[in-house]
Amino acid sequence: MNSNSPTSLLTQQKFLPYFITQFLGAFNDNIFKNVLLLFVAFANVESLPISSHLFINLAAGLFILPFFLFSALAGVLADKYEKSWFIRKVKLLEIAIMSLGAIGFIYESYGILLGLLFLMGTQSAFFGPVKYALLPQQLKPEELVPGNALVETGTFLAILMGTIGAGLLTSVEYSKYFAAGCVVAFSILGYVSSRFIPESPASAPDLKVQWRPLKLTRNTLAIAKRDKATFQALMAISWFWFLGATYLTQFPNFTKIYLNGTESSVAFLLALFSVGIAAGSLACDKLSNHRIEIGIVPLGSLGISIFGFLLATSIPESLPSFTSFSEFISYDKLWPLFSYLLLLGISGGIFIVPLYSLMQHRAKVNERAQVIAALNIYNSLFMVGSAILGIICLSFLELTIPQLFLLLAIINSLIVCYLFYQVPIFAVRFLMWVVTHTMYRVEHKNLQNLPDKGGALIVCNHVSYMDALLVSAVCPRLIRFVMEEEYANLPPLRRFLKRAGVIPISATNRKSIRNAFNEVEQSLADGHIVCIFPEGRLTPDGDVGEFMRGMEIIIRRSPVPVIPMALKGLWGSYFSRYKGTACKGLPSRFWTKLEIEVGTSIPAEQASSQGLREAVIELRGNRR
């Protein structure tokens, strides 16, 4: 069994107690909220302190409000204190809240229960940052994606099971007693499981804690904005929650008005969506081979737009009035809509997992929980925004729900284009992912030798025109390539390559060489990874040619670690000079097995052209 697979993580103490704790927390939250809302919906008017409609809207607002008030403080505390200890304190708070909630259920004290929703939101606000900040400390880098895949799977299945469980609880005799017992029992089980979470040392024990909400919130948001790629990932995650909140809010009326479905039909659509996200999260881990593969994000986003559009346009023109759930799901004209909804969820799972992993990976260790706290703040803002959009579109503009779904698909497409423009790494990684997963079977070796941060110079053998694309795909960080000016300035690609960080150079133009060396020096000083192909041209015979001396000039000017890398199996491909000229005739090899091996970094003072060439030759071995 693969040690990095989700199944394997569920057998390890460093992950299983944490997974159970967060699953039970999400499950219990949804049991409590939905039981309360169902009780309110069917309660006598005299027993409610306010109207049911106002109660439901207040409930939603009171649950979200603590994320604005306390997320920043929660992030500071999660960075300051040992995380398993902090989680246990939060779970004890949950037991206290649920115990009061149980009393509220039994005595039907809806005013008290409304106030407890605020406390539940507070508990969730404090749990969120430590929940995600703990993962990178407990898991290896290669386990981060499967770990996040399981967390997202568990979260959405917990939401689904909590929603369905609430419906079952409220339908039985003595429902208030069963509900009271369940919320307390599950909160206790969550605390018990948290006792088995291994210790995770404090990331920033010297942080000073002062609860000044506005100042803390400003500081937290400022921390999240320091790294552009992290902030864009954070915004993309919040956009996902905007979409999810909009869809989930509209499912009941969408099912009732446009599909002629019943309450059980609503639960079925919710199940399809939630199971889809869970399946997409696990599929993302499989597709990315347990790595942070940002190239999959646009694929998921594209799926959200396509299947969101198809969902909105696949409603049959005429439908019978369904009297039972079995009639609803067996009506074959609705099956395309069901499949589009499932695929929409799968696309969402593929979209969200790499973003969470990237955010956790790139955030500084001593600021990670605060970055996640900023995410919670933005998530709350976006979810409020989704409610406002629904009100404006459905009430003031008088759009239909399918038209609202179409609008979401269109806006999502614009968001994707914006992300591509703002952060070219998304576009580059998408292109790399498509290439490496459709043209070749690529194996990677010793990727741990690539640095997580800081400047470094990669030197690699040059076999084909695909080399830069393949090398780009091995590293979650953006790699800046030194490329022949003739190709870098091709009109169709020039703007894209410039935004992707390509550094053009012409061996026959002194000004071009000087500018390229200056740009390489600046990039390495700024902490980027730069890759050069020191042979200066494609190999004519599959062997590693002599390295040009310009590489030593770069090393002298920028004494950063030098990392040898070898491409194996590309000689003979359509893009190599195996036939004398690259791209000659028709391709004769498909789905070729390739290997990319990364060597141990060499200190700049020990690096030389000849030594690095020998290191690359040794890495490549006999396989050309």
Side-chain angles (χ1 to χ4, degrees), residues 267-454:
F268 176 67
L269 294 188
L270 174 63
L272 282 177
F273 189 63
S274 300
V275 170
I277 291 176
S281 299
L282 296 176
C284 174
D285 174 55
K286 183 70 174 176
L287 289 170
S288 64
N289 195 26
H290 319 301
R291 297 169 54 232
I292 301 174
E293 184 52 79
I294 299 303
I296 297 178
V297 172
L299 182 68
S301 189
L302 182 62
I304 290 173
S305 292
I306 291 173
F307 298 118
F309 175 85
L310 291 174
L311 173 69
T313 56
S314 62
I315 304 168
E317 292 185 3
S318 61
L319 288 169
S321 295
F322 300 108
T323 58
S324 68
F325 175 65
S326 60
E327 288 181 4
F328 180 77
I329 62 171
S330 61
Y331 191 70
D332 57 2
K333 290 185 179 179
L334 286 175
W335 291 356
L337 184 145
F338 297 157
S339 63
Y340 297 145
L341 181 56
L342 179 67
L343 290 167
L344 176 63
I346 290 173
S347 300
I350 291 173
F351 177 80
I352 198 70
V353 169
L355 292 170
Y356 270 113
S357 302
L358 177 70
M359 179 186 65
Q360 293 163 342
H361 180 74
R362 288 186 66 98
K364 293 180 179 178
V365 173
N366 61 342
E367 296 176 345
R368 188 178 285 134
Q370 294 170 80
V371 170
I372 297 166
L375 171 65
N376 286 345
I377 295 171
Y378 281 114
N379 280 351
S380 303
L381 286 171
F382 274 64
M383 291 172 74
V384 170
S386 76
I388 294 172
L389 178 70
I391 293 170
I392 291 173
C393 290
L394 301 178
S395 299
F396 293 99
L397 300 180
E398 297 184 351
L399 298 181
T400 64
I401 294 176
Q403 288 172 337
L404 174 61
F405 289 172
L406 280 174
L407 180 62
L408 290 178
I410 293 170
I411 296 176
N412 186 70
S413 300
L414 297 176
I415 293 289
V416 174
C417 295
Y418 173 78
L419 286 174
F420 277 175
Y421 182 79
Q422 289 294 316
V423 188
I425 187 172
F426 281 90
V428 173
R429 299 296 293 172
F430 179 49
L431 178 61
M432 302 312 102
W433 189 91
V434 170
V435 169
T436 57
H437 286 73
T438 56
M439 298 183 64
Y440 303 107
R441 290 176 295 155
V442 185
E443 293 184 4
H444 305 113
K445 193 172 181 180
N446 297 328
L447 295 186
Q448 71 274 9
N449 291 333
L450 292 170
D452 292 334
K453 57 187 66 176

Side-chain angles (χ1 to χ4, degrees), residues 68-69 72-73 212-222 377:
F68 295 105
L69 296 178
L73 176 62
R212 299 170 64 182
L214 291 178
K215 182 178 180 180
L216 271 177
T217 299
R218 283 198 300 268
N219 290 343
T220 299
L221 297 180
I377 295 171

